[in-house]
Amino acid sequence: MTFAAALVAATLASSTTPVVAHASSGVASTPKSCDAKDAEAKRAWAAESHSWLASQFHKEQRDIADSWCRMWETTNARDRSFKAENFGRTLFTGEGLHPSVASSLVPGSGFAGGATLGLERGLVSRPLRIGLSADGLASMNGSWEGAAAVHFLGTAPRDENDHMQGSGEFVHQHLAELSYFGPNNDSVQTNQTAFGLDKTTAAATWIVPVHGGLRLAFAVGGGWFTPREAGGATVPQAPASFQEATTPAIANATTYVISTAGVVWRYPFDATSTGYRTGASLVFRDFHEMGGQPYSFRRLDAEWTNVYTPSASIGTFTGTGYLDTSFTSGGDAVPYYLQPTAGGTDLFGRSLLRSYHDYRYRAPNLAGIVIEHERPIKYFLGSLLFADFGQVADEPSRFRLNAFHYSLGAGITLRAGNTTVLRIFYAWGGGEGTRTTVAGSSNTFGGNVGLGLTNW
Amino acid sequence: MSQDPRIKHIVTVMMENRSFDHLLGLMKAENAALRGISPGEYSNDTTMGVAVPVSAGATSQGLLPVDPGHEFVDVYMQMYGEPFAGVTTGTPDMSGFVQNYEQLAGRGKGDVVMRCFAPDDLPALTTLARSYAICDAWFSSVPGPTLPNRAFAHFGTSFGRLDMSPDYFRMRPSIYQRLRQSGKRGKIYYYDETSSTLGLTFLLSDQASYFGLLGDFKKACKKNQLPEYSFVEPNYVNHDGRLACDQHPDNDVVAGDSFLREIYDAIRSNDDVWASTLLLIVWDEHGGLFDHEVPPAVGHPDDYTSTTPKFAFDRLGVRVPAIVVSPYVEAGVVDHTVYEHASIPATVTEQFIGAPATNSPFSREKWASTFLHLLTRTAARTDDPFAAPMLAAFSRRRTPMAALRAKPPRHRPSSSTPASGLLRQQVKDAHFVLVRHHPAEATPFEPENVRTEADAARFLKRAHAILNPHAAARKSSRTLAAPPTRPTRRRKPGGAKQGRER
C-alpha cells in the first residue's frame, strides 16, 4: 500500500465512524458533527509545536477527512454532489501527497496509477522559490516509474514575468514493453517486435530568460539505458529479429554524460487567444558514451509552431514543424532506443502520424509536420481536423519530399474557458489501420515550447 | 446614483486572499482618515494566552508556508474567537486569527498572520491607493473561501454555497449573461491556459465572447476595443518561469504588485480608454490574515442559505483591500461606504443595464452599494502617479524600495514663469467643479486672472482646500500626533481577548 493510499485509508477510517460506542456503559452517543471533529483535530494540533512539513501533511489529511465527512453529513443530493466534487479536488490536487492517475505511463503502457508529492516554499531571505516533486506510478503492462525533482524559480523583480528556472531531477523508468518495427522509414508493420527498457536519468537544468519571451536553456546530466526482453510480449523480441548492423545497441546497455544547450522563443509574450502566435525552439545535445562503446552522438532538435486565429467563428489554425537530426563520427551510431520516433505518440508526448502504432518509425533523424484546425461548434463542443506528415531517415540527407507518411484525423473537442480541454478523434491514412484516441489539450503555449531539455 | 455617461468600460481585477490591514492597514500612518492600523494597536491571543500584536514585517514570500485557513469554519473562528458549533451567534470580535493559524501550523507559529506590509514594500498598490480612492469598508461577501466569494462577484450570490467545488455549471444568470441580454459585452480575461480561469464552469456557451487571455486584454486596451465589462484574473500558479501573481499565500506578493501595475499601464496605454474606464482592484477574501474591522451583519440576506455548515448569508466576510481607479476619482479619497463583492455586478448593472434594485436578479446585489459615486471629478485626470522623476528613473519592477521612498525633487512654482497650457486647464477644471459643487464659495475665484505658475499654485491650493477639506486639514496637521480614531480593542499589555464586542 502506498503512503498516499495509507493516508486516504486512515483518513476515511477516522471520518466515517458513525457512532461512538462507550465501552463502559454500552450506550451509543450521537455521532460527532463534522464541525466538532474538525475543531477537535485542530485544537489538538495547536497544542504542540510542529515543523512546516508535518503541518503541511496534517493539514492535507484534515482537509481530506473534513471534505469526506461533509460529503456524507449533508442530506441534500445536490449539495452532496458539490461536496463530492470538493472531496475529489481535495484528494487529488494541491500541495502534499496525493493519489495520482494517468491514462498511461508512456504510450502503450495502459492505465497508470500511483502517488505524487508536491511541495513548494518561497524563501524569505533570497528571491527564490524551491519546490520538491516526486512520483511513483505503475501501469497495467508492468511498467513503473519513480521520479524526484527539486525545482528552483527565481523571484527577483524583472521587467517581465519571466524568471530564472533550475532543477535537479532524477527519474527511473522500467518500461515493460515498447514496440520496434525495424530501422528507418521503410520498416514493415508486420515486422513488429518488442523490447523492454530500463532508463535512469539524472540532470541539472537551468533556464535563463532574456527578453520578450526569448530564453536560453542548459542541462547537464547522466543517462543509463539498459534494453531488456519485453515481459509477456505477444510479438517476437527485438533482438531475435534485428541485428546490431541495422539496429545499434540492440542488446547493449549504454551510459552517457549528456550536455544540452538550447534557445526557445515565443511571441507574443503575453498569452492571446486571437491573432497570430508563434513559438520556436532549438536544442543541441551531446551524448557522450562513457563505457567506450561506439554510441556517442550529437543531436539537434528544432521545432516551430505557428498559430493563427482569425476569429472565433473561423477557429484556430495551427502548423508545427519538427526536425530532429543526429550526428555521429568515427563509426559511432545512435542506439535504437535513443532514436526519435514517429507514429502515435512518442515517449515524451509528441504526437505525429496519429493513425499509426505508437513508435511506428524509428531512426536517428526525423522530420514532421502537423497541421490542425479547431473551431467551436456549439455550447462546449468544438471540431478538430488534422493532417500529420512524418518520416525518419538514417541520414539527414536522405529526407525526401515523397517519403512522408501521413495521417488524417477528425474529431470533437470539449471546450471550457474558450480553450480545448479534451480531444476525441479518429485518425486514418497510410494503410495501416485507424485509431481512436482520447487526449488532453495539446496546449502548445502553456509550457516550454517543445524545449524538452531532458527528453532523453 | 445613476449611470455615468463618461464611463464606457468597467474593469475588475480580483486578487487572492489578503486582508485590508495586511496590505493597506499601515497606510493609516500617512492618512488618519483610513480605517487602518498602527503597529501594536490590536492583538490576538495565542493558544497559550500570549498576546500577539499586529505588526509590520510582512514579507513577499515565505511568511505563510502553511496556507492560513479560510474555509467557513476557519473564518468563523478568526472572527468570533471560538470554533464554529453549528450555529452563528453573537458579534465577531476578530480575536481568533492567531489561534486558528496555530491550529494549522502548530503552537507558536501564529504571529505571522498579524504581520502587515509597510506601504513602500508594495509600490504599485500604495501608489494607486494614494492617487485614487481607497475603499476601507469593502468586505468579502462570505466568511469563507475563494469560490463562493468569487461567485458573488460573478452572480451577486453564491446560491447558498460555501464549498470549494468548481461546479457552477447550472448557475445563472451571471453578470456576463445579463450584459449580453442587454446588448452589451462582458468578458473574463485570464492569465493563460495553464493558469486557467475560475469561471470556466458557468460560461460554456459562446465561450469566445466571454473569455480572453491577458494578452487579449492588453490588445483590447491598446486598440480601444474593451468590452463594457472586463474581469481580469491573475496568474494562479507558478509555471514555466512565470510567477503566480495572485498574491495567494504563499505566492510572491511583489509579483502581484507588478501585475497590478501591468493592468493599470494597459489601461493607460490608450488615452480614450483611460478617459472612459473605471478600474476596481479588489481581493476575493482575506485568506486567514488579520483584519480588525468587524464584518457587519447584512440587512438584506441572500435568497439562499447553506445547511451544512448552517449559515444564512446574513453577515459579511472579513474586510479586503479595494481601490477604485479612474480619471474622475480624486487623489487620496478614502471611502467608508460598506461594499461587498455583490457591489461589483450591482455597479456594472447600474452603469450598463439599469437600476440594480429592479434589474439585479438576487437580493444581495439589489441592495449592495455601488461605487459610481466616487467619480466626482468633472474633468479627466491626466497625471501619471508613477511618473515622478525618481520613479521614472527606474524600470518599474526594478525599482528599489529605497528609491521609491525617496521624495522627488520639489519644483517651486515661479511668479515669473507663465502657467503652461496643462496648468491653465487644471485651473479651469478646478473652477468648473467648484462652481458645480460649491457655487457660493466659487465666486471669489477668478481663473482668467491666473497667468503664472505661482498664480496657478495659489488658485489650486485654495480650490483644493474647499473641494477636499479633509485632505487639506490632514496635511496641515500632519506633524501633530493625531489621536487614534478607533480606540476599541486596542492592545493592552498582556491583555487576553481584548475588547470583545459582546
Side-chain angles (χ1 to χ4, degrees), chain A residues 35-36 38-39 42-43 45-52 55-56 58-59 70 73-74 76 78-79 81-83 85-86 89 95 120-124 126-129 153-155 157-163 165 215 266 269-275 312 376 379-380 415-419 443 445-448, chain B residues 47 59 61-63 65-67 71 73-74 83-86 99-100 102-107 109 161 163-167 170-172 190-194 197 200 203-208 211-216 218-219 235 238-243 245 250-252 254 262 307-309 395-398:
Chain A
D35 295 328
D38 185 61
K42 286 176 173 170
R43 201 179 302 122
W45 194 254
E48 292 178 32
S49 181
H50 305 280
S51 70
W52 157 68
S55 293
Q56 195 72 39
H58 178 259
K59 182 173 187 292
R70 291 186 190 281
E73 189 177 56
T74 184
N76 178 295
R78 194 170 183 209
D79 190 36
S81 76
F82 296 139
K83 289 183 164 62
E85 290 162 13
N86 195 37
R89 180 191 60 81
E95 279 198 69
E120 188 184 76
R121 277 202 78 162
L123 302 187
V124 174
R126 295 190 186 284
L128 197 64
R129 302 184 72 82
L153 175 60
T155 61
R158 286 178 49 81
D159 283 343
E160 296 166 328
N161 188 3
D162 196 7
H163 297 262
Q165 305 167 70
R215 294 171 178 171
R266 59 181 278 175
F269 179 77
D270 291 309
T272 58
S273 59
T274 55
Y379 208 48
F380 55 85
R415 302 170 60 81
N418 199 31
T419 295
N443 169 20
F445 290 90
N448 283 315
Chain B
T47 310
T59 56
Q61 61 177 11
L63 182 71
V66 178
D67 187 16
E71 295 288 332
V73 292
D74 293 308
F84 181 66
Q99 289 185 26
N100 183 257
E102 286 189 324
Q103 292 186 344
L104 299 174
R107 193 182 69 201
K109 304 281 174 62
R161 304 265 303 273
D163 61 76
M164 275 292 286
S165 161
D167 176 358
R170 292 148 286 187
M171 312 305 185
R172 58 177 56 84
Y190 56 99
Y191 194 85
D192 64 16
E193 290 149 327
T194 304
T197 169
L200 56 76
L203 292 169
L204 290 175
S205 180
D206 302 308
Q207 293 176 33
F211 291 102
L213 303 176
L214 178 66
D216 298 319
K218 289 182 175 178
K219 206 156 60 175
N235 181 17
N238 295 307
H239 67 279
D240 187 30
R242 299 193 172 216
L243 288 173
C245 53
D250 190 43
N251 289 338
D252 190 71
V254 170
E262 214 173 323
T307 50
T308 52
S395 167
R396 62 174 182 266
R397 288 173 195 84
R398 288 182 176 151

Side-chain angles (χ1 to χ4, degrees), chain A residues 2 23 41 46 52 58 82 90 105 116 123 145 197 211 231 262 267 287 296 318 323 326 333 355-356 360 397-398 408:
Chain A
T2 65
W52 157 68
H58 178 259
F82 296 139
T90 310
L105 184 61
T116 182
L123 302 187
E145 171 187 285
L197 183 67
H211 183 69
Y267 170 86
F287 288 75
S296 292
T318 305
L323 185 63
S326 300
S355 65
Y356 288 78
R360 174 66 183 82
S397 60
R398 293 191 183 163
L408 303 175

Side-chain angles (χ1 to χ4, degrees), chain B residues 27-94:
Chain B
M27 287 187 77
K28 181 182 164 184
E30 60 187 80
N31 189 341
L34 192 73
R35 291 172 180 164
I37 44 151
S38 305
E41 190 176 1
Y42 298 90
S43 68
N44 266 197
D45 286 354
T46 66
T47 310
M48 306 300 288
V50 179
V52 178
V54 67
S55 65
T59 56
S60 185
Q61 61 177 11
L63 182 71
L64 302 154
V66 178
D67 187 16
H70 44 279
E71 295 288 332
F72 175 80
V73 292
D74 293 308
V75 184
Y76 184 91
M77 174 156 189
Q78 291 156 10
M79 286 167 53
Y80 291 82
E82 57 198 18
F84 181 66
V87 61
T88 52
T89 54
T91 305
D93 63 1
M94 316 309 279

